[in-house]
């Protein structure tokens, strides 16, 4: 297959669009339904594709394991809430999600009708990225608390409007950057805050997911267009004919997603910006191509971000190999910390080097090694529900989610322009 060039935009919109402070504190108003300590929070799900099903299994566990090789993680069911309604413009997805909810499930083709239900307290939004802004605002205006999948925004300029609408409404909004609630990530953050690493000047991150098997499966799938409202699915995106690959792999087409940087790098950036207490990069350079898949967004790429606190972040991603999955390494003057969804390891400097024949890396034995006990999505949902009851700010609140997405958008601006993108 011929490599597909990265589409060039007419110009790059990198300017100071977000003039609001860093931090939280938008949880002031009462829920539209007063919730007692023992009341179950009633949840509707908007957009019922693959990620929505994973989120729903946190409430209604089934035999299916989490996608992407996460079968080693224990999934502890989330209690204190009930899935009651689903909405989707594609009927097979809607029917599948309704079956998971149960025979009493309310099903809607139009998400506005779900938001009109007075007995629904909160919604999970797992739609394509280009719908996130409008659905979050509509849900907040309808008095619903929200869990929205990452990235919080599809475009750089969407963030301020979303934040203003949510803060005005007083709704609780959690974003799907689950590392913020994952226990061993929290423990690692405490180690960094204690100054254990010393000065950190370089953070290395990577994410590898082999999409070749999935692509072959998707090429055999045929969407029943009589059961899909394609115009409604497009929403604010430009009108265009139905395309099977765009419908199935929308994350890698610019009208609907932002490729690897907004899909996967955001998880690394969420961790890095949180750990380093630095919410916005000052510049980015990036390069990449879709060598094997023919999608618009690159599937093999690298991105380097510079932060005003004086450190660099390198990210590489590839979808032709999945051997190493994803990891982040914080290189400090006193110690190095490597963390993934499976575990973290802390290595002290000046302890001599030992060649590890299994990993083929020169490192001393770790001073501390902590494995993950539970998949972090359940913890992130649990934190959201706790904050719905307490009206406190959730771990991965909307401001945080917008900041994380912003870094990915700056990276994509550099990728598309072929030039260094800067943020004032």
């Amino acid at each position: 297959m011929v490599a597909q060039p990265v589409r060039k935009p007419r110009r790059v919109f990198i300017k100071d669009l977000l003039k609001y402070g860093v931090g939280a504190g938008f949880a002031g108003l009462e829920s539209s339904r007063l919730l007692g300590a023992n009341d179950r929070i009633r949840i509707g799900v908007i957009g019922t594709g693959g990620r929505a099903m994973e989120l729903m299994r946190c409430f209604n566990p089934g035999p299916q394991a989490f996608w992407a090789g996460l079968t080693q993680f224990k999934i502890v069911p989330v209690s204190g809430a009930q899935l009651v309604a689903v909405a989707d413009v594609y009927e097979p997805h809607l029917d599948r999600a309704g079956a998971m909810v149960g025979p009493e499930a309310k099903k809607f083709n139009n998400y506005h009708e779900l938001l009109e239900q007075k007995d629904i307290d909160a919604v999970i939004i797992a739609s394509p990225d280009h719908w996130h802004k409008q659905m979050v605002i509509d849900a907040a205006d309808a008095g619903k608390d929200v869990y929205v999948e990452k990235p919080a925004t599809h475009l750089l300029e969407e963030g301020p409007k979303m934040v203003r609408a949510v803060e005005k409404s007083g709704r609780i909004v959690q974003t799907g950057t689950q590392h913020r609630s994952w226990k061993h990530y929290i423990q690692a953050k405490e180690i960094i805050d204690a100054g254990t690493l010393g000065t950190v000047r370089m953070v290395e991150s990577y994410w590898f997911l082999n999409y070749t098997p999935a692509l072959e499966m998707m090429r055999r799938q045929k969407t029943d267009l009589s059961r899909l409202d394609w115009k409604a699915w497009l929403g604010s995106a430009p009108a265009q004919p139905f395309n099977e690959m765009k419908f199935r792999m929308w994350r890698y087409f610019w009208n609907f997603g932002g490729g690897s940087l907004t899909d996967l790098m955001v998880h690394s950036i969420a961790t890095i910006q949180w750990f380093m207490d630095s919410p916005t990069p000052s510049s980015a350079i990036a390069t990449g191509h879709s060598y094997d898949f023919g999608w618009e967004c690159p599937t093999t790429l690298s991105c380097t971000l510079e932060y005003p606190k004086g450190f660099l972040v390198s990210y590489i991603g590839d979808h032709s190999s999945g051997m190493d999955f994803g990891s982040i390494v914080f290189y400090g003057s006193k110690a190095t910390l490597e963390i993934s969804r499976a575990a973290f390891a802390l290595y002290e400097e000046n302890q001599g080097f030992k060649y590890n024949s299994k990993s083929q890396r020169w490192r001393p034995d770790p001073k501390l090694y902590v494995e993950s006990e539970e998949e972090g999505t359940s913890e992130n949902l649990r934190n959201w529900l706790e904050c719905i009851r307490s009206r406190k700010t959730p771990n991965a609140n909307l401001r945080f989610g917008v900041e994380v997405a912003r870094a990915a958008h700056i990276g994509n601006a550099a990728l598309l322009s072929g030039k260094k993108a800067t943020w004032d």
Side-chain angles (χ1 to χ4, degrees):
M1 184 174 293
V2 178
Q4 299 296 310
V6 177
R7 181 175 59 84
K8 306 285 187 181
R10 293 180 179 177
R11 49 185 173 149
V12 182
F13 293 96
I14 293 296
K15 55 184 178 179
D16 194 2
L17 293 172
L18 305 180
K19 292 297 186 181
Y20 54 84
V22 176
F26 58 85
L29 303 182
E30 296 285 346
S31 174
S32 56
R33 180 171 75 96
L34 295 178
L35 293 168
N38 297 320
D39 288 335
R40 303 186 79 185
I41 297 170
R42 296 170 60 83
I43 298 173
V45 181
I46 300 174
T48 57
R51 181 55 181 165
M53 298 299 288
E54 293 174 349
L55 292 167
M56 293 171 71
R57 289 185 193 115
C58 292
F59 298 93
N60 299 341
Q64 303 95 332
F66 270 63
W67 179 72
L70 300 182
T71 55
Q72 73 269 32
F73 296 130
K74 178 175 64 177
I75 301 173
V76 179
V78 177
S79 60
Q82 179 182 4
L83 301 176
V84 297
V86 290
D88 203 294
V89 298
Y90 184 47
E91 290 180 1
H93 285 176
L94 185 67
D95 292 342
R96 180 185 62 183
M100 175 174 284
V101 172
E104 302 300 319
K106 297 180 179 180
K107 297 192 295 184
F108 303 94
N109 297 113
N110 187 326
Y111 78 90
H112 292 283
E113 295 178 4
L114 184 151
L115 295 178
E116 291 171 358
Q117 305 303 303
K118 301 300 183 184
D119 61 343
I120 293 178
D121 305 304
V123 294
I124 292 172
I125 297 173
S127 62
D129 299 351
H130 71 294
W131 269 107
H132 286 182
K133 181 202 74 172
Q134 194 58 52
M135 287 180 172
V136 168
I137 292 174
D138 289 343
D141 288 345
K144 313 300 183 187
D145 296 313
V146 178
Y147 187 103
V148 59
E149 261 305 323
K150 54 78 192 163
T153 59
H154 177 227
L155 301 173
L156 186 63
E157 58 266 30
E158 293 175 345
K161 185 175 181 180
M162 292 174 71
V163 170
R164 285 194 298 269
V166 167
E167 290 189 343
K168 181 179 179 181
S169 71
R171 308 324 304 167
I172 299 296
V173 177
Q174 178 90 300
T175 59
T177 47
Q178 61 265 34
H179 293 181
R180 279 301 304 259
S181 300
W182 210 316
K183 290 180 180 178
H184 74 293
Y185 282 91
I186 294 173
Q187 184 178 350
K189 165 66 170 170
E190 294 170 351
I191 290 172
I192 290 181
D193 285 348
T196 305
L197 302 190
T199 302
V200 176
R201 296 300 186 196
M202 171 63 72
V203 184
E204 176 187 48
S205 62
Y206 58 84
W207 209 295
F208 299 102
L209 286 176
N210 192 335
Y211 278 178
T212 304
L215 181 63
E216 293 304 316
M217 180 183 68
M218 290 176 188
R219 283 173 173 161
R220 296 192 296 268
Q221 292 178 325
K222 297 296 180 182
T223 298
D224 184 351
L225 295 181
S226 69
R227 305 185 70 191
L228 169 67
D229 188 337
W230 177 242
K231 183 178 180 180
W233 190 91
L234 287 174
S236 61
Q240 54 197 283
F242 173 80
N243 180 286
E244 190 77 48
M245 194 55 64
K246 288 182 179 180
F247 178 61
R248 300 289 178 180
M249 294 301 297
W250 50 264
R251 288 179 177 86
Y252 287 81
F253 293 87
W254 296 113
N255 287 157
F256 320 115
S260 181
L261 299 191
T262 59
D263 182 33
L264 297 174
M265 189 185 79
V266 288
H267 285 301
S268 298
I269 291 300
T271 304
I272 295 165
Q273 294 186 169
W274 171 38
F275 280 19
M276 299 295 289
D277 192 26
S278 189
T280 307
S282 54
S283 67
I285 56 174
T287 186
H289 292 278
S290 183
Y291 291 108
D292 303 306
F293 300 96
W295 304 336
E296 291 178 351
C297 303
T299 53
T300 301
L301 79 167
S302 67
C303 178
T304 300
L305 302 163
E306 183 175 8
Y307 282 78
K309 290 186 70 172
F311 65 95
L312 298 178
V313 172
S314 71
Y315 173 83
I316 57 173
D318 181 55
H319 289 317
S320 299
S321 172
M323 188 57 62
D324 284 334
F325 197 46
S327 190
I328 309 168
V329 186
F330 296 83
Y331 293 99
S333 59
K334 296 180 180 179
T336 289
L337 185 141
E338 181 167 10
I339 189 165
S340 70
R341 292 183 172 182
F344 77 77
L346 178 68
Y347 304 92
E348 288 188 325
E349 283 280 312
N350 304 318
Q351 297 299 309
F353 295 96
K354 179 180 179 181
Y355 184 72
N356 187 313
S357 60
K358 292 183 179 179
S359 66
Q360 298 189 31
R361 302 185 76 168
W362 289 93
R363 283 188 180 173
D365 292 332
K367 180 181 180 181
L368 180 64
Y369 180 81
V370 176
E371 291 188 347
S372 174
E373 296 180 354
E374 178 185 354
E375 211 287 331
T377 300
S378 295
E379 287 288 357
N380 210 38
L381 288 165
R382 210 169 282 125
N383 173 255
W384 175 52
L385 297 178
E386 291 169 356
C387 291
I388 289 176
R389 296 182 188 281
S390 68
R391 312 313 292 170
K392 294 181 180 179
T393 304
N395 292 340
N397 60 78
L398 182 61
R399 281 183 178 269
F400 176 80
V402 167
E403 290 164 356
V404 169
R406 183 169 62 200
H409 295 323
I410 295 172
N412 271 335
L415 185 66
L416 286 164
S417 67
K419 300 177 182 179
K420 183 177 183 178
T422 60
W423 182 268
D424 297 326

